[in-house]
Amino acid sequence: MKDFATDYPIDTSIKPDVEAFFDPDTNTISYVVKDPTSNACAVIDSVMDIDYAAGRISYESADKMIKFIEDNGLKLEWLIETHVHADHLSAAPYIQGKLGGKIGIGENITVVQDTFGKVFNEGTEFQRDGSQFDKLFQEGDTYKIGNMTAFAMHTPGHTPACMTHVVGDAGFVGDTLFMPDGGSARADFPGGDAGVLYDSIQKVLSLPEETRLFMCHDYGPNGRDIQWETTVAEEKEHNIHVGGGKTKEDFVKFRTERDAQLAMPRLIIPSLQVNMRAGEMPPAEEDGKVFLKVPVNTL
């Protein structure tokens, strides 16, 4: 494990402005992250709307983010995907087409593409090298959002390509963690691993305790209002799956038993096919129509 004091450019005195956008259909929280010293910003984990039963795509969620960026005179520099989501479709290319910016994801997207390229019986025309994205982040990579230096931490376990992105005093954890009363994400998807997830969570919790952590999902456990922001200190103390010094052995046992009871996410079939393509639809057929595949007895 890296030494955070020397190996990562941590500066919790930098406090980016974070605007959250909650999508109630998928319980996803997307973010616009702004440099307080310039007009530069990044979008993290955007949502493309789908009426799955009707096979209809729309962009109301993305348009809200675009309007916010335009209304505030911001310049979009990055569209970050914390991982290949299985519960919502990314709107990154749609937003990029309106506002510019680069789309980035963890370099292990190639592992995910190879795995699900086989699941969905994709042909040789589907590139499994991550070339659909503008940037493939490696562990410890840095990038700029205006005058802020952001860095990527490889935090696998939920998926092989999961990355936590840290910008000043703000960390965007994707599905690696939920709010303290929500615990952690499942680890039973292909390439997932509960023990690896535990180690990744400990890595996140090694950040300075005052670091703000922003969730990708919240489901309002026990009927509470939706929340998406906590701190490293709060997670270390109160997270129901890993807080208070819970051991790796206990976590793996609980996570494995819990995951065996969970149903597949409602939108996993369209989400994976789209998100492994950086938010693009599969190629159109000769007549111009676009189709998504449903693998039978595979997932």
Side-chain angles (χ1 to χ4, degrees):
M1 185 179 296
K2 285 180 176 287
D3 181 345
F4 285 98
T6 59
D7 293 334
Y8 291 112
I10 294 174
D11 186 352
T12 56
S13 69
I14 297 173
K15 302 184 183 302
D17 300 324
V18 180
E19 186 74 16
F21 297 80
F22 177 66
D23 174 50
D25 184 54
T26 62
N27 287 81
T28 302
I29 304 99
S30 307
Y31 299 97
V32 174
V33 185
K34 178 189 174 296
D35 174 17
T37 67
S38 75
N39 68 343
C41 72
V43 162
I44 297 181
D45 291 335
S46 61
V47 172
M48 176 168 63
D49 303 296
I50 181 170
D51 180 341
Y52 194 22
R56 185 174 297 112
I57 296 294
S58 58
Y59 299 97
E60 290 88 348
S61 297
D63 285 336
K64 291 176 183 176
M65 301 186 80
I66 291 170
K67 185 177 188 301
F68 176 84
I69 292 170
E70 291 179 336
D71 287 352
N72 287 277
L74 305 183
K75 178 185 177 184
L76 181 59
E77 296 187 341
W78 286 96
L79 298 110
I80 301 297
E81 299 293 333
T82 56
H83 63 293
V84 175
H85 309 279
D87 39 27
H88 75 269
L89 285 67
S90 169
Y94 173 78
I95 297 174
Q96 184 184 53
K98 302 286 186 179
L99 300 175
K102 296 180 180 179
I103 303 175
I105 198 169
E107 65 173 343
N108 278 356
I109 177 62
T110 56
V111 177
V112 177
Q113 288 176 328
D114 184 61
T115 298
F116 288 105
K118 295 172 183 175
V119 168
F120 291 106
N121 195 32
E122 301 291 349
T124 55
E125 70 277 3
F126 172 57
Q127 298 299 309
R128 295 160 170 82
D129 58 2
S131 57
Q132 300 88 345
F133 298 82
D134 300 309
K135 172 66 177 178
L136 302 184
F137 292 105
Q138 298 180 0
E139 161 70 9
D141 274 356
T142 62
Y143 58 100
K144 302 291 284 189
I145 304 171
N147 299 313
M148 301 188 298
T149 298
F151 66 89
M153 297 166 49
H154 187 211
T155 50
H158 175 61
T159 80
C162 287
M163 306 287 284
T164 292
H165 290 258
V166 182
V167 192
D169 77 335
F172 299 87
V173 299
D175 285 6
T176 299
L177 274 172
F178 292 155
M179 293 294 291
D181 61 347
S184 61
R186 65 196 300 163
D188 61 332
F189 293 150
D193 185 289
V196 172
L197 178 58
Y198 181 88
D199 292 340
S200 292
I201 291 171
Q202 299 309 310
K203 190 175 179 180
V204 172
L205 298 184
S206 296
L207 290 165
E209 290 198 341
E210 66 271 27
T211 303
R212 295 179 290 162
L213 298 180
F214 293 89
M215 312 294 109
C216 184
H217 295 285
D218 188 66
Y219 301 94
N222 301 311
R224 69 152 167 77
D225 292 340
I226 298 297
Q227 300 174 9
W228 48 75
E229 179 181 347
T230 183
T231 66
V232 167
E234 290 170 347
E235 291 280 18
K236 287 170 71 172
E237 182 72 18
H238 300 297
N239 186 283
I240 59 173
H241 294 172
V242 296
K246 289 185 175 62
T247 67
K248 183 175 183 177
E249 182 181 14
D250 288 342
F251 176 81
V252 171
K253 182 177 185 297
F254 164 80
R255 189 70 268 169
T256 302
E257 292 174 353
R258 173 63 176 153
D259 289 349
Q261 303 170 14
L262 297 176
M264 285 289 104
R266 176 174 59 93
L267 296 178
I268 187 171
I269 288 175
S271 295
L272 291 174
Q273 291 176 79
V274 169
N275 294 338
M276 68 182 183
R277 292 179 164 87
E280 298 285 0
M281 288 289 166
E285 302 290 329
E286 291 182 1
D287 60 2
K289 294 180 180 178
V290 175
F291 294 90
L292 293 165
K293 299 175 182 177
V294 178
V296 176
N297 295 332
T298 302
L299 286 172

